[in-house]
Amino acid sequence: MTRIAVLELPGRMASSAAITHDVLATANRVSLAAGRPAPFEVRTLACPGSRTRAPASGTDLVIVPGLGVDTEEALLARIAAPDCRRATHLLANAARAGASIAASCASTFLLAEAGLLDGRRATTTWWFAPLFRRRYPEVALLTDQIVVADWPVATGGAAMAQMDLMLAVVARFAGAGLAKACAGYLLLDDRRSQAPYMAITYLAGQDAKIAKAESWVRRNVARDFTVEELADAMALSPRTFARRVAATCGLSPIRFVRRIRIETARFLLETTKLPVEEVARRVGYADGSTLRRLMRSDGQRSPAAFRR
């Protein structure tokens, strides 16, 4: 049996905490119904006291539901607060004692503060990605991913990624078969990417040059152009442009342009009756098959799925 401590800090997202307990309880119920032992023993750990060194003796996994913050200023203030500083030390001590650690959304910052993500792959909620990259350059941040399970540490993206993170936990500690059964019981779709939900306009707005580049791409979206031409229009070298796009949006210049083309295509598909071939031409692609392929590879559904 895997012994789990759920660290619930003040101001946590209630939905994230509830999802954590619901998925683990579902895994236990499904396992018992199949005539097997319950795989998880779960306890809730409230705000740690100043003398707390580890969540519990023999704990196998500590899970941190998302923090309920929605701005960079609020997040920075939150992780600097005494209870979060104590939580950071608790997580570091738990990891040293051999426990695995999992967190999603803004709580991934606590893992990074504890040094648990240094040299590892991780993800976080997409709108905090620019801050995360600036603050923790030693972490290989994969913003597109909903879950990055680089065990013994696992991270999830935006708030509802806690569901995906918990399925990854079930798969890791109780088997992929039980995780699949839980997903079916809870009617969960297979989601692999945050890409369809990322707002490029929001991310680009963190850097004036990249915001200008985003506007330039939207004005020129129907025609073919090179990354070099785009960089030149911003009065930047291609290398500097690539570095700033990566720092701001977590994308290469090619994927930055592609994301804007696909976003524009999705808008046209949802709001007009233009044929897919015409939509493709209006966003700079030669034919509909190219648009279909790129939308699927970018974590989107097929063009037909966006027709109302």
Side-chain angles (χ1 to χ4, degrees):
M1 178 175 284
T2 299
R3 289 166 292 187
I4 297 176
V6 182
L7 177 57
E8 298 189 12
L9 295 167
R12 65 194 176 281
M13 295 189 69
S15 59
S16 185
I19 285 168
T20 300
H21 291 285
D22 285 347
V23 173
L24 294 173
T26 297
N28 281 344
R29 286 197 300 270
V30 170
S31 188
L32 288 169
R36 296 187 295 269
F40 301 115
E41 177 186 290
V42 185
R43 65 186 291 265
T44 299
L45 187 67
C47 178
S50 58
R51 295 185 179 180
T52 304
R53 293 191 176 184
S57 177
T59 295
D60 301 300
L61 171 67
V62 181
I63 300 171
V64 191
L67 296 174
V69 292
D70 55 10
T71 67
E72 289 191 2
E73 293 77 12
L75 174 55
L76 291 173
R78 191 71 192 88
I79 62 178
D83 63 318
C84 279
R85 300 311 303 168
R86 291 195 295 269
T88 297
H89 292 303
L90 181 150
L91 292 170
N93 289 336
R96 280 193 291 270
S100 295
I101 312 291
S104 71
C105 203
S107 289
T108 57
F109 280 69
L110 297 179
L111 275 59
E113 288 288 307
L116 302 180
L117 301 179
D118 291 355
R120 291 188 176 277
R121 296 174 297 113
T123 190
T124 191
T125 187
W126 62 264
W127 61 87
F128 285 143
L131 173 64
F132 194 101
R133 286 193 187 88
R134 294 194 302 270
R135 193 172 178 91
Y136 315 112
E138 65 280 6
V139 181
L141 188 66
L142 306 177
T143 311
D144 282 6
Q145 299 300 304
I146 286 182
V147 171
V148 174
D150 193 0
W151 295 108
V153 180
T155 50
M160 292 300 104
Q162 185 72 12
M163 185 73 77
D164 306 87
L165 179 66
M166 292 312 302
L167 291 178
V169 165
V170 174
R172 169 71 173 181
F173 292 94
L178 183 56
K180 185 175 181 180
C182 288
Y185 187 86
L186 296 168
L187 299 180
L188 300 178
D189 294 327
D190 184 25
R191 302 180 301 171
R192 297 183 180 276
S193 175
Q194 295 191 93
Y197 315 103
M198 293 169 64
I200 287 297
T201 299
Y202 177 90
L203 293 173
Q206 310 294 310
D207 182 313
K209 282 283 189 181
I210 305 307
K212 183 179 177 182
E214 186 229 354
S215 297
W216 189 95
V217 172
R218 292 190 187 278
R219 291 195 305 272
N220 293 275
V221 73
R223 72 178 184 87
D224 189 25
F225 56 83
T226 65
V227 169
E228 288 74 18
E229 182 181 355
L230 172 56
D232 186 63
M234 300 304 106
L236 296 172
S237 70
R239 179 175 295 181
T240 299
F241 178 68
R243 185 173 65 249
R244 290 176 68 162
V245 170
T248 304
C249 301
L251 301 169
S252 69
I254 290 174
R255 292 186 65 203
F256 173 75
V257 173
R258 180 192 301 174
R259 189 68 55 78
I260 295 170
R261 292 191 194 278
I262 290 175
E263 186 180 290
T264 305
R266 177 174 174 172
F267 176 79
L268 291 173
L269 290 164
E270 291 176 334
T271 61
T272 75
K273 295 183 179 181
L274 291 171
V276 174
E277 295 291 331
E278 178 61 23
V279 170
R281 284 192 289 271
R282 291 194 180 197
V283 298
Y285 295 125
D287 53 59
S289 63
T290 300
L291 177 61
R292 291 185 184 93
R293 176 175 56 81
L294 292 175
M295 288 187 77
R296 289 192 179 99
S297 68
D298 203 53
Q300 304 271 355
R301 295 166 286 170
S302 68
F306 294 102
R307 291 298 194 190
R308 297 192 183 279

